[in-house]
Amino acid sequence: MAQCVQSVQEFIQDSFVPLVAALCSEEAERLTRKNNLGFSELVKPFCRLTSEVHMRDPNNQLHVIKNLKIAVNNIITHSPQPGGIRKLLNDVVSVSQPAEGLVANVITAGDYDLNISDRSVKASVPWYNNWKDTLMELNTSTFYSATTPWFESYRESFLQSMPASDHEFLNHYVACMLVVSSGEPEPVEQFLKLSQEQHRIQHSSEYAYPKWFIPNTLKYYVLLHDVSAGEEQRADSVYEEMKQRYGTQGCYLLKINSRGSNRGADEQIPDPWSQYLQKNSIQTQESYDDGPYSVISNKNADHLISDGLDNDIQVDGLSNNFKAHPLQLDHLSDTSTSFDATEYIKTTTSPHESKKTSSGTPHGTCLTLTDHDRIRQFIQEFTFRGLLPHIEKTIRQLNDQLISRKGLSRSLFSATKKWFSGSKVPEKSINELKNTSGLLYPPEAPELQIRKMADLCFLVQHYELAYSCYHTAKKDFLNDQAMLYAAGALEMAAVSAFLQPGAPRPYPAHYMDTAIQTYRDICKNMMLAERCVLLSAEILKSQSKYSDAAALLIRLTSEDSDLRSALLLEQAAHCFINMKSPMVRKFAFHMILAGHRYSKAGQKKHALRCYCQAMQVYKGKGWSLAEDHINFTIGRQSFTLRQLDNAVSAFRHILINDSKQPAAQQGTFLREYLYVYKNVTQLSPDGPLPQLPLPYINNSATRVFFGHDRRPAEGEKQAATHISLDQEYDCESSHQWKELEEQVVAVVNKGIIPSNFQPTQYCLNSYSDNSKFPLAVVEEPVTVEVAFRNPLKVPLLLTDLSLLWKFQPKDFNAKHNGETKELACGNDMIGAEVIAEFLINSEETKMARLKLFPHQTGELHILGVVYNLGTIQGTMMLDGIDPSIGLQAGKFVYNGMSVRGRQDLEIQGPRLNNTKEEKTSIKYGPDRRLDPIITEEMPLLEVFFINFPTGLLCGEIRKAYVEFVNVSKCPLTALKVVSKHPEFFTFGGNTAVLTPLSPSASENCSAYKTVVTDSTSVCTALMSSASSVNFGVGTGSQPEVIHVPLPDSVLLPGASVQLPMWLHGPDEEGVHEINFLFYYESIKKHSKMCHRVLRHTAVICTSRSLNVRATVCRSNALEDEGKGDNMLVFVDVENINTSEAGVKEFHIVQVSSNSKHWKLQKAVNLSEDKDYKLASRERGKLCFKAVRCKNSGENYTFADIVFGNEQIISSASPCADFFFRSLSSELKRTHTQSNMFQGAVKQSFDEAVRLIQKCSKVDLNIVVLWKAYVVEDNKQLILEGQHHILLHTVGKEAYSFPQKQGFKKILGNSDWEDLEQESPEMVFLKFFRPESSSLPTRPTPDQLSNLIKTSLHYPESFNHSFHQKSLCLVPVTLLLSNCSEADVDVIIDLRHKTTSPEALEIHGSFTWLGQTQYKLQLKNQEVCSLQLKACFVRTGVYNLGTHRVFAKLADQVTLFETSQQNSMPALIIINNI
């Protein structure tokens, strides 16, 4: 139970006080009215005695009375009606609200900090996040308790307004004051009239109300004297006459109004009446949002001051002696006896006027502090001299009467022991007693005299004697089965037992329980039962029996009174929270019940407060349905009270939580929210747009796109893919584009990337670098993609959806700042796109793309989105809301309920993690994707690809066209394209535009430049030469950056140009993504944006065609010219194409070589028909002779060996383009590999090693050109292509594309591809030891054996007559050729014998004659011949290759001396003739 201001003893004592009636003459009433007070109101603040009072009990013992209070009331002749009482109580509770600005009360209960105060309305609702910061714990009491002044006001008014009853005398009048003014003509006669009037009211059967304690009521005569206006001498003389007539103890002269009413109010006199008059006054409500309400009162009443029973309503035409009860309802306004607590009449006065009339009326304006003391003295005199002696005398009389009637001993004190010690009669159960609540005792019945005496003792705090009398009366009543009387005696006996000083006996709670049950179930009197509960609960609470108190309070809740049930449930909730182990959830549950009953009783503010306090417990515990119910109720109650902001917040909370409610309920919540929100916006239509809670916006998923949407493909034209919002972000791809842009910018800026370089970002998202302000171009749209999510199960319809922005115009050239303007709709500077309707289905995430069109340079800040939020569900009836008419809006039917609002886009940047300070704290960098800078006009390029293929054979050449269009108003220049795969495409070399296509080439639709050849030139090489500079592959330049050959290097606004583009299918099969980045600049240089780029990703699917392998070997045959520079080139071509591509066969039409040092001379093994075809899976081998070129320099020599009748000029575009591009790519690849594997061995090689290694190097490149015949749609197509093989080393096999050679040696080619798809690629880690770098790298034995090339010249067969001469001598010439570029020392050793038996079996043995060892020195590229003689002794086949040749560089020791092996045996046949 909530903490009360008074202690329980004070509360009970003040609830039962001696009642004194006041009967005033009209003139006396007029005197008091000068102070805006009635007589009873005038004396009310002074009715509590400030000193102790003594009186004697019947046993003549002195009894001390402390803190005695009396009540002086006007005589009311009509009992209050139940409806009026309900109305009064309802108003009392309604007026009493938590005061604003009090220190918050906190109850710490377990894990909860409950804020129970006026702040709870703000503190408990979930949107009030920082409420804990405002809480201050109060350590003034054992429990952190909360006060509930509305409950105390209710309780006080309830006890005061209880009608007098015949079964008890506590609220019967003990005395009557007769008040007359000294200014009347005959005051004494007026006293007589008033005395007669009182007698008539008390003893006439005409008046059943009020009730009087004893027939001989004490009359106290008061002469009221107006000091400022009256004659004091006359007053004194009248008072003297009164004293003679009524005695000094029966009359009093009270002087008031010492101050004239016309005097200024310069003196500040305290106003002790306001707290009494305003406590229950219904007109003194503060001006709440719902406005002041007033009681239904008599139309003729000129004033209404309500104070419990003490309302004085003067009605015209009625004598002052007949007062209408303030709780009596006007018969005009309420003809029935019942009254509904929710029936208010709204006052017509404004809240300001109402407050002025209520709190602005001064009281006691004619009274001075001396007058206050006189009134206080008057009450004390009346109590000491009149009232208490009268009560003491009455108690004695009653005691004597009881003794005489019952024949008992002298005093009840001596009888008490007998009553309590004798054999006790067992009390009957309440259920055994028959219903005799209707039994009435006559007034003189002894049982009632005991009760009367008990009540008098109780009123003067003689609790022990009172308890004895109550106990005696209780027994008598139970014996007579007078249950109403018995219940009353039980109730007061329990209270008397509790109040006895020293607590001689425990509080008999069972007495109260029996009394409550009797009142409620037998007597059907809920008012008396309620009084019992209020008293008992307070007593139990004072004994810390909170559980019992709560049970008692809950037991009295019923359907007959919502207000009572609400108050008792709230107090029960406070009991649960004040227990030793606080029951927080029970507190919350009962607060919810109390709030519900408050709501039914029309107490909206209290209902709201209860729900808010309960929310403190329920929120954040995952009880979403309970939270939803509470928030929904808070929203409705707040709306009813016109607390619209609270209502919006509560409904907002229901919507933004992940609700588990069904769709229909969510729809109801949403419609209520929209309705409330609409009311809020109507109050301030010109105010700022508030934040809407729905739909959710995923801020980090916001994407910003700069530029126009991509054009779709038109027929054969395919637009560049560029970038769009439909593409997913790929980090790796983004990094590649950035590298490409850096590459081309470095080339344009002579190898240096400018410091202010900012990579172009057309699409910004959460993965991109948003730390810098992005650049947008004027007149080009800025598209913002906002990610909306609808958390509800009902669809949301957003209408008039657009962006909210702020723009600061700036001229970047003039450096002039404009004024900042914040606008929500388009104007001359920025155009905004508005989406008329945007539907988000239930629980759907949907993207909205909103555009802005900047028309001026400056700084743009995109703040958020603005829209109307509505629903499209059918109309449904809301409480108190008329159903709206469904409207047709586009394709959606919505119910017309929509509200305008905004949501801000606030994107949190990435967390910083660079410095130590950033790592140890949580700091976030900026995210500026929504703050673009609008720059000056720039050119805008669009690229279209015509006849661009999607599928190619590996190595296939295809011709397409590229169209460049400038769609802006600025000319563009410096057009370049950069790609990681420059070998894939070419725009042709410098010669391509100058050389027209040959007629035959155009007839055959060939992509090559061809000339017709005559038959004599077949199989011999046709020579031409070209420089790599002509094809953009000069030394030092980046092969990836290609200049686009625009006419005049400028593309004017609106102009377009078509250029041919040759494509070369990648050598590896599969799907290839090839990125092109087109770079271009404006003719005018801008400070912010220097260049622009356009992206294109080409996806090419390549299928297998030919697999080409080549080997180069030194030819053993030395030419007659004495030059040993000839080699054999073996080319293996295999058709690995699968039949799915529809390729029938491949024709090898030409093999070309290009090199600075070597050239193909002729084909060696060509078949007679000269038609070189390969069907599926067929394999062929070609052999060519290669010789060293005569010309030296930077030019490459091209040699074409044609197998058909048409020569493809390999030194022209596009054949040479692709060759040079593949050459540069290969050089780049080998360069990076050598950097990887030799990173630690960077020293210059030993010169000898370099020379030896150079011997085995060969720089010969082979181009195999082919045609493929494809059958497609019953048509035969001819495809062309070329493969490149780069031969670097003698004897080492080279391939047309990189191979995994470890597998290739084991498997055949045909099986290799199948395994390639199944086996994962194995990557070996290589570890290098830098220490070994100091050692020179030794050349391999293969490299050493290539220093010297040897050749034996001898007859194949030799005829000799062994009969004539037994020894056969054959001359043999040994040719030695130095292949290196240095002098070489050579040793020829002829003593070597073949020792292996296998060799002896095959070849016979012979002997060299003459010198067996020669030492020679061969100059650079020198050829030397030695004449040798071989000696044979019989016929046979002999191998002459038994000599051993050792070679070393002339200026070296034998470090690298090694044997020079012959490549093949030299066989000679010796015949006998």
Side-chain angles (χ1 to χ4, degrees), residues 123-160:
S124 58
V125 287
W127 56 90
Y128 188 65
N129 293 323
N130 298 324
W131 68 277
K132 281 195 176 182
D133 300 338
T134 66
L135 302 186
M136 294 173 59
E137 292 189 352
L138 301 179
N139 296 308
T140 54
S141 60
T142 312
F143 299 99
Y144 300 125
S145 299
T147 59
T148 49
W150 49 91
F151 173 69
E152 294 176 44
S153 299
Y154 168 86
R155 192 175 58 186
E156 182 180 344
S157 298
F158 170 78
L159 292 172
Q160 286 181 1

Coordinates of all heavy atoms in Angstrom, one line a residue, residues 123-160:
A123 N 8.8 8.4 -17.4 CA 9.9 7.5 -17.1 C 9.6 6.1 -17.6 O 10.5 5.4 -18.0 CB 10.2 7.5 -15.6
S124 N 8.4 5.7 -17.5 CA 8.1 4.3 -17.8 C 7.9 4.0 -19.3 O 8.0 2.8 -19.6 CB 6.9 3.8 -17.0 OG 5.8 4.6 -17.4
V125 N 7.5 5.0 -20.0 CA 7.3 4.6 -21.4 C 8.6 4.4 -22.1 O 9.6 5.0 -21.8 CB 6.5 5.8 -22.1 CG1 5.0 5.8 -21.6 CG2 7.1 7.1 -21.8
P126 N 8.6 3.5 -23.1 CA 9.8 3.0 -23.6 C 10.6 4.0 -24.4 O 11.8 3.9 -24.6 CB 9.4 1.8 -24.5 CG 7.9 2.0 -24.7 CD 7.4 2.7 -23.5
W127 N 9.9 5.1 -24.9 CA 10.6 6.0 -25.7 C 11.4 7.0 -24.9 O 12.1 7.8 -25.4 CB 9.6 6.8 -26.6 CG 8.5 7.4 -25.9 CD1 8.5 8.7 -25.3 CD2 7.3 6.9 -25.5 NE1 7.4 8.9 -24.7 CE2 6.6 7.8 -24.8 CE3 6.7 5.6 -25.7 CZ2 5.3 7.6 -24.3 CZ3 5.4 5.4 -25.2 CH2 4.7 6.4 -24.5
Y128 N 11.2 6.9 -23.6 CA 11.9 7.9 -22.7 C 13.2 7.2 -22.2 O 13.2 6.5 -21.2 CB 11.0 8.3 -21.5 CG 11.5 9.3 -20.6 CD1 11.7 10.6 -21.1 CD2 11.8 9.1 -19.3 CE1 12.2 11.6 -20.3 CE2 12.3 10.1 -18.5 CZ 12.4 11.4 -19.0 OH 12.9 12.3 -18.2
N129 N 14.2 7.2 -23.0 CA 15.4 6.4 -22.8 C 16.2 6.7 -21.6 O 16.8 5.8 -20.9 CB 16.3 6.4 -24.1 CG 15.6 5.8 -25.3 OD1 14.9 4.9 -25.1 ND2 15.8 6.4 -26.4
N130 N 16.3 8.0 -21.3 CA 17.2 8.3 -20.2 C 16.6 8.5 -18.9 O 17.0 9.3 -18.0 CB 17.9 9.7 -20.6 CG 18.7 9.5 -21.9 OD1 19.3 8.5 -22.1 ND2 18.7 10.6 -22.7
W131 N 15.5 7.7 -18.7 CA 14.7 8.0 -17.4 C 15.5 7.6 -16.2 O 15.3 8.2 -15.1 CB 13.4 7.3 -17.5 CG 13.5 5.8 -17.4 CD1 13.7 4.9 -18.5 CD2 13.3 4.9 -16.3 NE1 13.7 3.6 -18.1 CE2 13.4 3.6 -16.7 CE3 13.0 5.1 -14.9 CZ2 13.3 2.5 -15.9 CZ3 12.9 4.1 -14.1 CH2 13.1 2.8 -14.6
K132 N 16.4 6.7 -16.3 CA 17.2 6.2 -15.1 C 18.0 7.4 -14.6 O 18.3 7.5 -13.4 CB 18.0 5.0 -15.4 CG 17.2 3.7 -15.4 CD 18.1 2.5 -15.3 CE 17.2 1.3 -15.2 NZ 18.0 0.0 -15.1
D133 N 18.5 8.2 -15.5 CA 19.3 9.3 -15.1 C 18.6 10.3 -14.2 O 19.2 11.0 -13.4 CB 19.9 10.0 -16.3 CG 20.7 9.1 -17.2 OD1 21.1 8.1 -16.7 OD2 20.8 9.4 -18.4
T134 N 17.3 10.3 -14.3 CA 16.5 11.3 -13.5 C 16.1 10.8 -12.2 O 15.5 11.5 -11.4 CB 15.3 11.7 -14.3 OG1 14.4 10.6 -14.4 CG2 15.6 12.2 -15.7
L135 N 16.4 9.5 -11.9 CA 15.9 9.0 -10.6 C 16.8 9.3 -9.4 O 18.0 9.3 -9.6 CB 15.8 7.4 -10.7 CG 14.9 6.9 -11.9 CD1 14.8 5.4 -11.8 CD2 13.5 7.5 -11.8
M136 N 16.2 9.7 -8.3 CA 17.0 9.9 -7.1 C 16.4 9.1 -6.0 O 15.2 9.2 -5.7 CB 16.9 11.4 -6.7 CG 17.6 12.3 -7.7 SD 17.3 14.0 -7.3 CE 18.0 14.1 -5.7
E137 N 17.2 8.3 -5.3 CA 16.7 7.4 -4.3 C 16.5 8.2 -3.0 O 17.2 9.1 -2.7 CB 17.7 6.3 -4.0 CG 17.9 5.3 -5.2 CD 18.7 4.1 -4.8 OE1 19.3 4.2 -3.7 OE2 18.7 3.2 -5.6
L138 N 15.3 7.9 -2.4 CA 15.0 8.6 -1.1 C 15.3 7.6 0.0 O 14.8 6.6 0.1 CB 13.5 8.9 -1.1 CG 13.0 9.9 -2.2 CD1 11.6 10.1 -2.1 CD2 13.8 11.2 -2.2
N139 N 16.2 8.1 0.9 CA 16.7 7.2 2.0 C 16.0 7.6 3.3 O 16.5 7.4 4.4 CB 18.2 7.3 2.1 CG 18.9 6.7 0.9 OD1 18.6 5.6 0.5 ND2 19.8 7.5 0.3
T140 N 14.9 8.3 3.2 CA 14.3 8.9 4.4 C 13.5 7.8 5.2 O 13.2 8.0 6.4 CB 13.4 10.0 4.1 OG1 12.4 9.6 3.1 CG2 14.2 11.2 3.5
S141 N 13.1 6.7 4.6 CA 12.3 5.7 5.3 C 12.8 4.3 5.0 O 13.7 4.2 4.1 CB 10.8 5.8 4.8 OG 10.8 5.6 3.4
T142 N 12.3 3.4 5.7 CA 12.8 2.0 5.5 C 12.5 1.6 4.1 O 13.3 0.9 3.5 CB 12.0 1.1 6.5 OG1 12.1 1.6 7.8 CG2 12.7 -0.3 6.5
F143 N 11.3 1.9 3.6 CA 10.9 1.6 2.2 C 11.0 2.8 1.4 O 10.6 3.9 1.9 CB 9.5 0.9 2.2 CG 9.4 -0.3 3.0 CD1 8.9 -0.3 4.3 CD2 9.8 -1.5 2.5 CE1 8.7 -1.4 5.0 CE2 9.7 -2.7 3.2 CZ 9.2 -2.6 4.5
Y144 N 11.4 2.7 0.2 CA 11.3 3.8 -0.8 C 9.9 3.7 -1.2 O 9.5 3.0 -2.1 CB 12.2 3.6 -1.9 CG 13.7 3.5 -1.5 CD1 14.5 2.4 -1.9 CD2 14.2 4.5 -0.8 CE1 15.8 2.4 -1.5 CE2 15.6 4.5 -0.4 CZ 16.3 3.4 -0.8 OH 17.7 3.4 -0.4
S145 N 9.1 4.6 -0.6 CA 7.6 4.5 -0.8 C 7.1 5.6 -1.7 O 7.7 6.6 -1.8 CB 6.9 4.5 0.5 OG 7.3 3.4 1.3
A146 N 6.0 5.4 -2.2 CA 5.3 6.4 -3.1 C 4.0 6.8 -2.4 O 3.4 6.0 -1.8 CB 5.0 5.8 -4.4
T147 N 3.8 8.1 -2.6 CA 2.5 8.6 -2.1 C 1.5 8.6 -3.2 O 1.8 8.8 -4.4 CB 2.7 10.0 -1.6 OG1 3.2 10.9 -2.6 CG2 3.7 10.1 -0.4
T148 N 0.2 8.4 -2.8 CA -0.9 8.5 -3.7 C -1.9 9.4 -3.2 O -2.9 9.0 -2.5 CB -1.5 7.1 -3.9 OG1 -1.7 6.5 -2.6 CG2 -0.6 6.2 -4.7
P149 N -1.8 10.7 -3.4 CA -2.7 11.7 -2.7 C -4.1 11.5 -3.2 O -5.0 11.9 -2.5 CB -2.1 13.0 -3.2 CG -1.2 12.7 -4.3 CD -0.7 11.4 -4.1
W150 N -4.3 11.0 -4.4 CA -5.7 10.9 -4.9 C -6.4 9.8 -4.0 O -7.6 9.9 -3.7 CB -5.7 10.5 -6.4 CG -4.8 9.3 -6.7 CD1 -5.1 8.0 -6.7 CD2 -3.4 9.5 -7.0 NE1 -4.0 7.3 -7.0 CE2 -2.9 8.2 -7.2 CE3 -2.6 10.5 -7.2 CZ2 -1.6 7.9 -7.6 CZ3 -1.3 10.3 -7.6 CH2 -0.8 9.0 -7.8
F151 N -5.7 8.8 -3.6 CA -6.3 7.8 -2.7 C -6.6 8.4 -1.4 O -7.7 8.1 -0.8 CB -5.4 6.6 -2.6 CG -5.8 5.6 -1.6 CD1 -7.0 4.8 -1.9 CD2 -5.2 5.4 -0.4 CE1 -7.4 3.9 -0.9 CE2 -5.7 4.5 0.5 CZ -6.8 3.7 0.3
E152 N -5.7 9.2 -0.8 CA -6.0 9.8 0.5 C -7.2 10.8 0.4 O -8.0 10.8 1.3 CB -4.7 10.5 1.0 CG -3.6 9.5 1.3 CD -2.3 10.3 1.7 OE1 -2.4 11.2 2.4 OE2 -1.2 9.9 1.2
S153 N -7.2 11.5 -0.7 CA -8.3 12.5 -0.9 C -9.7 11.7 -1.0 O -10.7 12.1 -0.4 CB -8.1 13.3 -2.1 OG -7.0 14.1 -2.0
Y154 N -9.6 10.6 -1.7 CA -10.8 9.8 -1.9 C -11.2 9.2 -0.5 O -12.4 9.2 -0.2 CB -10.5 8.6 -2.9 CG -11.5 7.5 -2.9 CD1 -12.7 7.6 -3.7 CD2 -11.4 6.4 -2.1 CE1 -13.6 6.7 -3.7 CE2 -12.4 5.4 -2.1 CZ -13.5 5.6 -2.9 OH -14.4 4.6 -2.9
R155 N -10.2 8.7 0.2 CA -10.5 8.1 1.5 C -11.1 9.1 2.5 O -12.1 8.8 3.2 CB -9.2 7.5 2.1 CG -9.4 6.6 3.2 CD -8.1 6.0 3.6 NE -7.1 7.0 3.9 CZ -5.8 6.8 4.1 NH1 -5.4 5.5 4.1 NH2 -5.0 7.7 4.4
E156 N -10.5 10.3 2.5 CA -11.0 11.3 3.4 C -12.5 11.7 3.0 O -13.4 11.8 3.9 CB -10.1 12.5 3.3 CG -10.5 13.7 4.3 CD -9.5 14.8 4.2 OE1 -8.4 14.7 3.6 OE2 -9.9 15.9 4.7
S157 N -12.7 12.0 1.7 CA -14.0 12.4 1.3 C -15.0 11.3 1.5 O -16.2 11.5 1.8 CB -14.0 12.8 -0.2 OG -13.1 13.9 -0.4
F158 N -14.6 10.0 1.2 CA -15.5 8.9 1.4 C -15.9 8.8 2.9 O -17.1 8.6 3.2 CB -14.7 7.6 1.0 CG -15.5 6.4 1.4 CD1 -16.6 5.9 0.6 CD2 -15.1 5.6 2.5 CE1 -17.3 4.8 1.0 CE2 -15.8 4.5 2.8 CZ -16.9 4.0 2.0
L159 N -15.0 8.9 3.8 CA -15.4 8.8 5.2 C -16.2 10.0 5.7 O -17.1 9.8 6.5 CB -14.1 8.7 6.1 CG -13.3 7.4 5.9 CD1 -11.9 7.5 6.6 CD2 -14.1 6.2 6.4
Q160 N -15.9 11.2 5.1 CA -16.7 12.3 5.5 C -18.1 12.3 4.9 O -19.1 12.8 5.5 CB -16.0 13.6 5.1 CG -14.8 13.9 6.0 CD -14.1 15.2 5.5 OE1 -14.6 15.9 4.6 NE2 -13.1 15.6 6.2

